[in-house]
Amino acid sequence: MIVVHHPPDAPHLHSVKASITEDVAPLNERNMDPMDTLVEDPRQYSDKERLVRPVYENTLNLLLEEVQNLHERELRVDSLIALSSRLQAEFAERLQSESQCMLPSHNYTLPNGREHGTYLALEVGGSTLRVALLELNGRASTQSVRIRRSVASNIDNRVRNLKGLQFFDWIAAQVQEMFSGDREALDHLLSNSQPIPMGIAWSFPIDQTSIRSGNIIGMGKGFHCSTYKGSDLGDLIAGACQRLNLNIRLDAIVNDSSAAVLFRAYVEPSTRLAVILGTGLNAAIHLPLSSLHKSKFGTRPFPSNPEITHVLVNTELSMFGKDVFPTTRWDEDLNAHHILPDYQPLEYLLAGKYIGEIVRLILVEAIETCGLFDGRLPQALSRHFSLETRTLASIEAEPFPYLTVAMYLCDQWQLEVAPNSTEIRFIRHVVLAVTRRSQGYFTAAVHALTLLLHDLDDSLLENGLDHISIGCDGSVINKYPEYMEKSQMLLDEMVQTDKTGQKRALLENAGECAVLGAGVAAAMANARD
């Protein structure tokens, strides 16, 4: 989750605050926002200091202009429509081939809204594990879903670095911990009575072999998964639960974005796709069977039942766009030093784990070539992926940012000297450029998915829907300041401009829908049995 942090008024920052206030006071007296103009560095240097100060090859003004040009050059509506068209062509091509994306799930229908019962649901994401005990009461109920108990556990680097079966043992331990607060459920869990049915939303590529099983393809996002790549996820989860004597039956495995579609469709029947944008990026879409080549189903038989007309497709959206979206030298640097270069090119350009790193790489260049922070690299910025998205959110969210952001950065990055207004403006506009590109590319991808849906699914016209609901989950799309609102405005403008006659697509905040959708998937699997 992204939380906008405000800097503490700590005693050790009082002197820094005083110097910052002196710097900005003349501007305030003229009722000027320091962000409106670059001002001369107010620090005072002696003649001797001026003689030994290094001469840098670039200036913050010029570098900022380059950053903005490179990140915003393709963000006009007509340019984004062109990118969307190219991306849609890539979608269509990979529906006919490719083994790692556009993967048909084992969910052929959407929920009818009458599913009910008590289910254990897990969502394993890039940064968070969510465990919930759910009661489904049906779409017509005043409370269609009741969360009986829920806990979230942070997946930090310590957890990502777990080897062998340790990661799955950790997951089982969090399930046991969740039940420890519900005595009745815990007694049932440890008894020999009927097991509790469970659904799991898995946020990583998987070659699914049945609704209850699938082989792990890879994980990315810093996970060290070589020891269980190719292993069956259902067996790994079931084995970890058995080692703790947990009386659980795994009934459904779904991708996180597929789970989001299932939950949104459970409560809103106009739902046909969902997107996840947090640490990573993905989307799922409900498409006609006829749009996929039979080879996409691998060794499993192509559905022959005439009543099965559609299938829920895990797009693995993060893997698209390598030859579609333009990149910068900072993107290329990030990709070159990634543990899996070129593996998820679109995700590297816009997802939460990476936009902070792109900003960090730009700041490092500014320190080295423009003398940002007097040419001194703060220890906090010296490590890859050390600049978190929540820091970007805090910088961007301030309406009058100079004093507040300066204090915040002094605290976060342990700066020896408070940044001046020129430096704060540079940092803030770098953040704005990187996040604006993220919003633009994200919206182009959503637009491409809705166009694909309109082109392939004639049932949209038959059902008389006046709009398509898109379930949105993830810390960036739902928590980053104004991210969803700006994306919706841009999406509306793209739909109005391209004049293809497609229905309006509405981005709907569906927080926690991945874990809730895992429960719906388990209920649907039970109904089929």
Side-chain angles (χ1 to χ4, degrees):
M1 175 183 293
I2 293 174
V3 178
V4 178
H5 291 271
H6 297 282
D9 194 19
H12 70 279
L13 293 177
H14 284 169
S15 60
V16 173
K17 182 176 182 179
S19 65
I20 298 172
T21 304
E22 290 175 3
D23 178 19
V24 76
L27 291 169
N28 289 342
E29 290 170 2
R30 298 193 300 272
N31 296 317
M32 293 177 62
D33 184 340
M35 296 303 101
D36 291 337
T37 179
L38 285 176
V39 299
E40 183 179 356
D41 188 336
R43 299 172 188 140
Q44 299 299 313
Y45 296 93
S46 67
D47 292 339
K48 181 178 180 181
E49 287 174 323
R50 292 182 188 278
L51 290 174
V52 300
R53 289 184 70 202
V55 177
Y56 294 99
E57 61 190 75
N58 204 351
T59 68
L60 292 181
N61 264 337
L62 292 176
L63 181 57
L64 178 59
E65 182 179 353
E66 182 184 17
V67 168
Q68 291 174 324
N69 288 339
L70 290 175
H71 284 82
E72 299 176 3
R73 58 186 172 181
E74 298 293 337
L75 298 187
R76 298 185 311 275
V77 170
D78 58 341
S79 297
L80 290 174
I81 290 174
L83 293 175
S84 169
S85 179
R86 292 175 60 190
L87 192 59
Q88 184 192 357
E90 190 176 354
F91 291 158
E93 177 185 348
R94 296 197 187 183
L95 281 169
Q96 305 303 311
S97 61
E98 178 64 48
S99 62
Q100 289 194 324
C101 55
M102 290 299 184
L103 306 174
S105 72
H106 288 258
N107 292 95
Y108 297 103
T109 61
L110 297 178
N112 56 31
R114 296 189 297 272
E115 295 82 3
H116 66 280
T118 300
Y119 301 91
L120 175 64
L122 273 67
E123 178 197 359
V124 186
S127 60
T128 306
L129 168 70
R130 294 179 176 86
V131 183
L133 189 63
L134 310 176
E135 292 180 2
L136 302 183
N137 302 310
R139 185 186 296 156
S141 172
T142 55
Q143 188 178 21
S144 57
V145 179
R146 185 173 83 91
I147 301 176
R148 181 166 164 174
R149 184 167 176 77
S150 176
V151 297
S153 303
N154 185 37
I155 298 178
D156 54 19
N157 287 332
R158 178 190 64 83
V159 176
R160 293 189 186 97
N161 289 328
L162 292 175
K163 303 295 195 299
L165 300 176
Q166 293 175 340
F167 178 63
F168 296 94
D169 288 337
W170 176 81
I171 291 175
Q174 307 316 301
V175 172
Q176 186 179 52
E177 178 66 22
M178 190 273 291
F179 275 105
S180 66
D182 190 323
R183 188 63 199 180
E184 179 184 349
L186 182 61
D187 289 343
H188 178 91
L189 185 68
L190 299 175
S191 71
N192 293 319
S193 61
Q194 285 291 106
I196 295 178
M198 177 175 71
I200 180 171
W202 183 252
S203 303
F204 311 97
I206 182 173
D207 178 18
Q208 197 153 357
T209 53
S210 77
I211 191 62
R212 296 176 173 87
S213 61
N215 299 320
I216 296 174
I217 296 174
M219 292 180 70
K221 301 182 183 71
F223 285 83
H224 294 268
C225 62
S226 59
T227 53
Y228 42 84
K229 184 176 181 180
S231 300
D232 183 87
L233 176 61
D235 290 344
L236 292 169
I237 293 290
C241 290
Q242 289 170 3
R243 285 189 288 277
L244 290 180
N245 297 315
L246 302 178
N247 192 21
I248 292 171
R249 183 185 72 241
L250 179 60
D251 281 347
I253 299 172
V254 289
N255 173 266
D256 59 341
S257 54
S258 297
V261 173
L262 294 177
F263 174 69
R264 277 299 301 170
Y266 183 69
V267 298
E268 172 50 65
S270 66
T271 303
R272 293 296 182 275
L273 67 148
V275 290
I276 308 292
L277 179 57
T279 304
L281 169 72
N282 202 5
I285 185 169
H286 198 234
L287 291 175
L289 273 174
S290 58
S291 62
L292 287 89
H293 193 274
K294 291 183 178 181
S295 63
K296 297 291 291 185
F297 290 79
T299 58
R300 85 193 214 223
F302 188 84
S304 57
N305 186 337
E307 294 183 359
I308 298 178
T309 60
H310 288 67
V311 63
L312 190 56
V313 176
N314 168 22
T315 67
E316 292 299 347
L317 182 60
S318 65
M319 295 182 172
F320 287 88
K322 177 172 173 53
D323 297 319
V324 173
F325 294 96
T327 59
T328 70
R329 62 178 177 274
W330 304 288
D331 300 318
E332 292 161 5
D333 188 356
L334 184 155
N335 183 63
H337 290 90
H338 198 280
I339 189 173
L340 294 171
D342 297 325
Y343 183 60
Q344 295 169 303
L346 186 53
E347 180 169 299
Y348 297 168
L349 294 175
L350 61 85
K353 181 176 175 63
Y354 301 102
I355 56 176
E357 176 65 3
I358 294 168
V359 171
R360 189 194 71 87
L361 291 170
I362 295 170
L363 296 185
V364 169
E365 179 175 324
I367 291 168
E368 295 174 348
T369 66
C370 305
L372 178 68
F373 304 145
D374 282 339
R376 300 166 185 164
L377 178 63
Q379 183 66 28
L381 293 179
S382 64
R383 301 181 307 279
H384 288 291
F385 298 102
S386 57
L387 182 50
E388 297 181 345
T389 309
R390 63 181 179 180
T391 301
L392 307 189
S394 295
I395 293 172
E396 186 168 335
E398 289 298 332
F400 188 77
Y402 176 66
L403 178 60
T404 308
V405 172
M407 290 283 290
Y408 179 72
L409 295 184
C410 283
D411 180 62
Q412 289 291 303
W413 297 346
Q414 297 297 301
L415 300 178
E416 296 180 8
V417 178
N420 61 48
S421 57
T422 299
E423 294 172 323
I424 293 296
R425 179 185 183 275
F426 172 82
I427 294 168
R428 188 165 189 266
H429 282 275
V430 166
V431 170
L432 289 169
V434 173
T435 57
R436 184 164 182 256
R437 184 187 69 168
S438 172
Q439 292 163 353
Y441 286 4
F442 168 77
T443 307
V446 171
H447 183 264
L449 287 170
T450 59
L451 280 180
L452 184 74
L453 187 63
H454 280 85
D455 286 351
L456 298 178
D457 194 354
D458 294 334
S459 69
L460 290 179
L461 296 176
E462 298 168 4
N463 291 336
L465 299 176
D466 62 355
H467 72 278
I468 297 172
S469 177
I470 303 176
C472 299
D473 197 9
S475 57
V476 173
I477 185 63
N478 285 342
K479 301 294 183 181
Y480 197 94
E482 297 186 336
Y483 196 103
M484 181 182 289
E485 294 82 357
K486 291 178 179 178
S487 297
Q488 182 68 67
M489 291 173 61
L490 185 54
L491 183 59
D492 287 342
E493 192 173 356
M494 291 177 70
V495 171
Q496 293 166 6
T497 302
D498 69 9
K499 302 184 185 304
T500 58
Q502 63 173 307
K503 300 176 187 295
R504 188 183 185 208
L506 295 179
L507 302 175
E508 306 279 3
N509 186 328
E512 309 300 327
C513 63
V515 68
L516 298 175
V520 173
M524 294 175 67
N526 270 269
R528 285 197 297 266
D529 291 344

